[in-house]
Amino acid sequence: MLNWETAYAKAFQVQVSTNGTDWNQVYATTTGTGGVQTLTVAGTGRYVRLNLTTRATQWGYSLWEFQVFGVIGGTGPGPDTLLSYNKPATASSYQDDGACP
């Protein structure tokens, strides 16, 4: 689940990896809508990344929330578990314009 601010991605991919080096695309769009987007994907991996390629507004990208659900152990079907809860996240870039105190 992606929860965007006003500055969202019009085009992006969701990719998974077992080792953090080799990535497989499990979702792609060029018609992102912003707001809350629930994506249905299938794939196996230890790592998940969101590759943003085209912004929808002049302000770049701003994501409130990125949740990853799945079946622990990959032995589905079964109840989905929020896998991203309390996990570390990194970004390839960051901008702090000092607008917020």
Side-chain angles (χ1 to χ4, degrees), residues 47-85:
Y47 305 96
V48 179
R49 76 178 176 187
L50 182 60
N51 183 30
L52 311 175
T53 56
T54 304
R55 59 187 184 189
T57 69
Q58 65 196 28
W59 300 291
Y61 307 105
S62 187
L63 192 62
W64 282 107
E65 193 171 16
F66 179 28
Q67 294 182 349
V68 178
F69 293 87
V71 178
I72 295 175
T75 59
D80 284 345
T81 302
L82 178 58
L83 302 176
S84 57
Y85 185 69

Side-chain angles (χ1 to χ4, degrees), residues 4 14 22-23 45 47 52 69 73 75 92:
W4 298 97
V14 177
D22 302 309
W23 295 93
Y47 305 96
L52 311 175
F69 293 87
T75 59
S92 60

